[in-house]
């Protein structure tokens, strides 16, 4: 059984036992989060939402809060001496999926 959830402007295919890194969520390590924006659930039959599946819930436990690797942004324009270097580390939350239910 798997589901497709939407969180942080992205979509993730998850099933029980998976660990996924999603955009930063509020909560302590060890706390339980639930995703109610379930776009599709596949059990024996596929249930597609319009836009979400009614009553479907995906629950997970927060495993880690952290920052991803640094991404270097380098801007350059030729013949003008323009160089600009910038870095960015995206915040993430690692979630272990514990339950996928159709409701």
């Amino acid at each position: 059984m798997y589901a497709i959830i939407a969180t942080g402007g992205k979509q993730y295919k998850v099933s029980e036992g998976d660990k996924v890194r999603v955009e930063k969520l509020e909560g302590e390590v060890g706390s339980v989060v639930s995703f109610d924006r379930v776009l599709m659930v596949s059990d024996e039959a596929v249930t597609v939402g319009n836009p979400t599946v009614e009553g479907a819930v995906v629950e997970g436990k927060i495993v880690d809060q952290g920052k991803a690797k640094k991404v270097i942004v380098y801007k350059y324009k030729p013949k003008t001496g323009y160089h600009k270097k910038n870095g960015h580390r995206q915040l993430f939350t690692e979630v272990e999926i514990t339950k996928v239910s159709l409701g």
Side-chain angles (χ1 to χ4, degrees):
M1 182 173 192
Y2 70 90
I4 296 179
I5 61 171
T7 179
K10 298 177 181 67
Q11 297 175 2
Y12 301 92
K13 178 183 173 185
V14 298
S15 58
E16 289 185 18
D18 285 353
K19 288 185 180 179
V20 288
R21 281 188 172 183
V22 298
E23 296 292 318
K24 175 108 169 88
L25 299 173
E26 296 299 321
E28 300 289 324
V29 174
S31 63
V32 176
V33 293
S34 65
F35 302 100
D36 54 351
R37 291 199 53 212
V38 180
L39 306 177
M40 186 184 97
V41 176
S42 172
D43 197 3
E44 286 93 33
V46 175
T47 306
V48 179
N50 185 15
T52 61
V53 178
E54 291 292 324
V57 175
V58 175
E59 292 181 354
K61 183 176 76 171
I62 295 178
V63 178
D64 189 22
Q65 300 270 23
K67 287 184 173 183
K69 283 187 157 184
K70 182 174 274 195
V71 177
I72 302 297
V73 179
Y74 191 75
K75 297 177 181 178
Y76 168 77
K77 293 191 178 170
K79 301 179 187 140
T80 60
Y82 176 77
H83 300 272
K84 183 113 176 148
K85 184 177 178 182
N86 202 351
H88 175 72
R89 292 184 69 184
Q90 185 67 37
L91 299 173
F92 70 86
T93 301
E94 188 169 357
V95 178
E96 182 177 3
I97 304 300
T98 56
K99 185 171 121 181
V100 177
S101 66
L102 195 52

